[in-house]
Amino acid sequence: MDLNVLHNIGYGMYVVSSNKGDLLNGQIANTLFQITSEPITVAISINKKNLTHEYIESSRRFSVSVISENAPLGFVGKFGFKSGRTEDKFKDTKFIKLGSGCPVVLDNALCYLEAEVINEFDCGTHTLFLGKMTDSKILKIGRPMTYDYYHQVKRGATPETAPTFIKKETIQARGGAMQKYRCTVCGYIYDPAVGDPDGDIQPGTEFEDIPDSWVCPVCGAKKTEFVKEG
């Protein structure tokens, strides 16, 4: 069985947020579907271990912010590789609270929607929450980030709690003689041919030539926590 087949399924990049009273949390998710149009219902898949899952179960509401294609990796890393149990993800993040108390992330977002949970389905490690849309707004015009763009262009990694995570995933060779390096914390691959534009590292910069102060653009790990890939 070739698990690479799963990489051809279309996904997006979203920040799913919820609240438990005055407590707020949000996380990156790639699985969002519109299920019906009358009434408008949507479904999201959330790992049971995630704090956002706990908050959705408590408030019975969730919001989804559609991420722009030009969102920096650091933003994705903040909501995708950090835990709300140890840090406030909404600190220094532009957001609003809707009338229900549910938070909505505005930074790097093209639009958002809010939904009230009307059903849920146990999917083993994840719960599929079905929600009736109660609010929505276009924030700006742009191109939404797809999961493929996040991986192929932004060179992003996949959290272990994501529904699309594949253990010991095989990275396909993309050609070129320059040595790639992998972050041992989150799995991000530094490709010298691509560099790290968000971190002012120009394409063609060998890993050894990157300043020692540079950190992983996804999770913030130090340069010393990278190893040779392949």
Side-chain angles (χ1 to χ4, degrees), residues 1-11 147 163-166:
M1 184 166 61
D2 188 353
L3 296 181
N4 287 310
V5 167
L6 300 174
H7 292 193
N8 291 284
I9 299 175
Y11 299 94
Y147 203 51
T164 51
F165 176 76
I166 299 177

Side-chain angles (χ1 to χ4, degrees), residues 95-188:
F95 73 97
I96 59 172
K97 279 188 180 181
L98 300 178
S100 63
C102 187
V104 174
V105 172
L106 302 180
D107 279 346
N108 301 298
L110 299 178
C111 57
Y112 69 80
L113 63 86
E114 181 199 35
E116 179 182 2
V117 175
I118 57 175
N119 211 337
E120 61 183 86
F121 304 90
D122 189 330
C123 301
T125 58
H126 289 65
T127 297
L128 189 70
F129 290 104
L130 178 66
K132 179 181 178 181
M133 195 164 79
T134 54
D135 198 353
S136 62
K137 185 176 182 179
I138 297 290
L139 300 173
K140 60 183 177 182
I141 303 301
R143 294 175 61 88
M145 185 184 295
T146 65
Y147 203 51
D148 184 65
Y149 184 91
Y150 168 68
H151 280 289
Q152 303 300 333
V153 179
K154 305 292 282 187
R155 312 294 295 172
T158 304
E160 291 188 14
T161 55
T164 51
F165 176 76
I166 299 177
K167 189 175 182 180
K168 295 183 179 178
E169 176 176 316
T170 300
I171 305 298
Q172 300 295 328
R174 298 176 65 86
M178 304 178 83
Q179 177 66 54
K180 299 176 185 178
Y181 281 74
R182 174 175 54 84
C183 176
T184 58
V185 177
C186 73
Y188 166 80

Side-chain angles (χ1 to χ4, degrees), residues 57-124:
E57 290 227 297
S58 173
S59 68
R60 310 305 292 173
R61 288 183 181 270
F62 61 85
S63 70
V64 179
S65 299
V66 179
I67 301 175
S68 170
E69 199 173 73
N70 60 10
L73 275 177
F75 173 80
V76 177
K78 180 179 185 179
F79 283 92
F81 289 88
K82 305 293 184 180
S83 173
R85 294 183 174 89
T86 58
E87 70 174 73
D88 180 4
K89 296 184 184 181
F90 284 84
K91 182 180 180 181
D92 301 322
T93 298
K94 185 178 180 182
F95 73 97
I96 59 172
K97 279 188 180 181
L98 300 178
S100 63
C102 187
V104 174
V105 172
L106 302 180
D107 279 346
N108 301 298
L110 299 178
C111 57
Y112 69 80
L113 63 86
E114 181 199 35
E116 179 182 2
V117 175
I118 57 175
N119 211 337
E120 61 183 86
F121 304 90
D122 189 330
C123 301

